[in-house]
Amino acid sequence: MSTDTTPDTDTGTSTESKCGASTDTADADASTSKCGASTTETTDASTESKCGASKSTDSSSSSKCGASSSDEEEVGSTVDDFDADPGRLVAVGLGPGQPEGMTQRAQAALGEVDHIVGYTTYIDLIPDDITEGADEIYSTPMCGEVSRTEEAIDRALAGHDVGIVGSGDPNVYALAGLALEILESKGATASMVDFEVVPGVPAAQSCAARLGAPLVNDTVSVSLSDHLTPMPEIESRLHAVAGEGFTIAIYNPWSRKRRENFEKCCEILLNHRDPETPVGIVHGAGREDEATEIVDLGDLEELGETDLIDMTTTILVGTEDTYVWDDRMVTPRGYESKYDY
Ligand SMILES: C[S@@+](CC[C@H](N)C(=O)[O-])C[C@H]1O[C@@H](n2cnc3c(N)ncnc32)[C@H](O)[C@@H]1O
């Protein structure tokens, strides 16, 4: 996930989350936002709770924005806390970053919802005419994904049509699964909120497109984030996929806290692959700061300390058949063994 540290750029009325099913006392004067979460009302500001959630004064049931660690996040309200007829919940993949990279279906889905929920970085990727058409935008700069997803669910259970957005595709290291898990834990069902996933172009594919044709054969994705998966498990997965000769898409490759994970990853890859194996690195595909390089695997580790590799970078590691031709990475599909050309 993006390590977004940008301040909230929303310019509308910012108040506490109103739809966490914890309170109906939010008012426009209460501009304190939990961990920087911001609700922007894009229509007339009303000081009433928007969600119609029933009141609960138990603070443990509030929809929290995981202030210090998402490990502490808990799901609060249950389906019984809501009186309204539920609205819809749509998990929408935004693709890599620029509006042209969004599918028409994603744009249409967001055009139909009342509330849009997401990281500030992702909200900023949505075309203005879509965000301006929504009643509310709920954005969180650094908050936990559990509280943000719960916020979206609570708003849907309270009767609103809600889109929860993320980069790429909702099924790739993203919130589609979490949304279903939280719905279940609340005693709700997916059908109750007419839950739908609208796919987006995943980073691996956007990045592959910038590099030529590196993923044309069997590919496996590995995330180096040890936030949810312990590093020994990630290492053993890396050994397995590198040893089996898949093309590998490495997500979440580097952050200051994960420097050692990246170094370990390079070491494992070099255990299984030739140092001259082509590796494609794409930073910020489809974004203003996009940068692309194709290097030898043996030179990958030293690039960890450069701006090229961070948490908006995806790294595509070729197979023993991958080669570089005219600045493009090519992983043969196998046609050449069957056809003459
Ligand atoms: C939590 S994952 C989300 C993946 C996303 N759901 C997808 O389908 O691409 C975040 C990681 O995706 C990759 N990523 C997301 N956007 C990217 C972009 N525009 N360019 C390169 N990599 C990107 C990075 O590896 C980043 O650390």
Side-chain angles (χ1 to χ4, degrees):
M1 192 65 67
S2 163
T3 51
D4 171 33
T5 54
T6 51
D8 221 331
T9 53
D10 295 317
T11 53
T13 309
S14 268
T15 68
E16 279 195 328
S17 158
K18 301 195 187 76
C19 295
S22 61
T23 173
D24 61 4
T25 58
D27 63 40
D29 294 324
S31 59
T32 20
S33 107
K34 295 170 190 160
C35 74
S38 151
T39 298
T40 301
E41 296 173 12
T42 53
T43 56
D44 281 352
S46 157
T47 58
E48 299 287 306
S49 168
K50 298 286 185 304
C51 58
S54 16
K55 185 192 288 184
S56 159
T57 51
D58 177 358
S59 62
S60 70
S61 71
S62 61
S63 177
K64 293 187 228 155
C65 282
S68 55
S69 156
S70 59
D71 295 347
E72 294 166 16
E73 292 181 60
E74 313 168 358
V75 169
S77 58
T78 72
V79 67
D80 297 331
D81 294 324
F82 297 88
D83 300 328
D85 289 336
R88 296 183 63 227
L89 179 64
V90 194
V92 180
L94 301 178
Q98 80 284 53
E100 312 88 87
M102 274 178 81
T103 66
Q104 286 188 351
R105 193 167 156 213
Q107 300 201 27
L110 289 178
E112 286 164 10
V113 298
D114 309 322
H115 295 185
I116 301 177
V117 174
Y119 253 133
T120 308
T121 303
Y122 299 156
I123 296 284
D124 289 345
L125 296 176
I126 303 172
D128 288 347
D129 59 325
I130 295 178
T131 48
E132 283 162 16
D135 291 343
E136 281 193 22
I137 306 294
Y138 179 82
S139 62
T140 59
M142 283 289 283
C143 286
E145 53 269 49
V146 173
S147 58
R148 194 170 61 250
T149 306
E150 185 182 13
E151 181 72 31
I153 290 169
D154 284 351
R155 286 169 183 246
L157 290 174
H160 300 286
D161 291 339
V162 181
I164 182 164
V165 299
S167 73
D169 183 88
N171 260 295
V172 181
Y173 307 120
L175 301 181
L178 183 60
L180 288 171
E181 289 173 42
I182 295 178
L183 274 167
E184 188 180 5
S185 79
K186 282 177 177 289
T189 65
S191 316
M192 204 177 266
V193 291
D194 198 8
F195 179 73
E196 186 189 357
V197 177
V198 175
V201 182
Q205 274 60 39
S206 301
C207 295
R210 307 306 299 147
L211 294 162
L215 300 186
V216 176
N217 219 327
D218 296 338
T219 299
V220 174
S221 299
V222 177
S223 166
L224 297 193
S225 167
D226 55 7
H227 171 48
L228 300 170
T229 307
M231 194 54 199
E233 177 62 29
I234 295 172
E235 287 175 27
S236 104
R237 291 176 191 181
L238 267 172
H239 274 295
V241 297
E244 287 300 325
F246 295 107
T247 312
I248 308 171
I250 298 175
Y251 281 75
N252 304 102
W254 194 96
S255 70
R256 272 185 294 282
K257 281 198 296 188
R258 295 195 187 120
R259 184 179 261 126
E260 284 170 17
N261 298 7
F262 179 72
E263 290 164 6
K264 189 72 197 169
C265 165
C266 294
E267 186 188 313
I268 291 171
L269 292 170
L270 281 167
N271 276 343
H272 298 277
R273 308 236 167 144
D274 191 285
E276 291 184 357
T277 304
V279 173
I281 305 167
V282 181
H283 170 91
R287 305 201 188 166
E288 280 176 5
D289 58 348
E290 179 180 293
T292 301
E293 267 195 48
I294 299 174
V295 301
D296 287 349
L297 177 58
D299 297 330
L300 181 61
E301 186 175 336
E302 65 196 44
L303 292 171
E305 297 301 322
T306 69
D307 290 345
L308 184 64
I309 300 183
D310 63 15
M311 290 300 276
T312 47
T313 301
T314 299
I315 297 173
L316 304 180
V317 181
T319 69
E320 62 180 10
D321 298 324
T322 304
Y323 60 95
V324 181
W325 173 77
D326 197 18
D327 289 335
R328 268 73 166 175
M329 248 174 110
V330 184
T331 301
R333 172 81 176 85
Y335 291 105
E336 77 286 354
S337 63
K338 212 163 175 191
Y339 301 96
D340 288 330
Y341 51 86

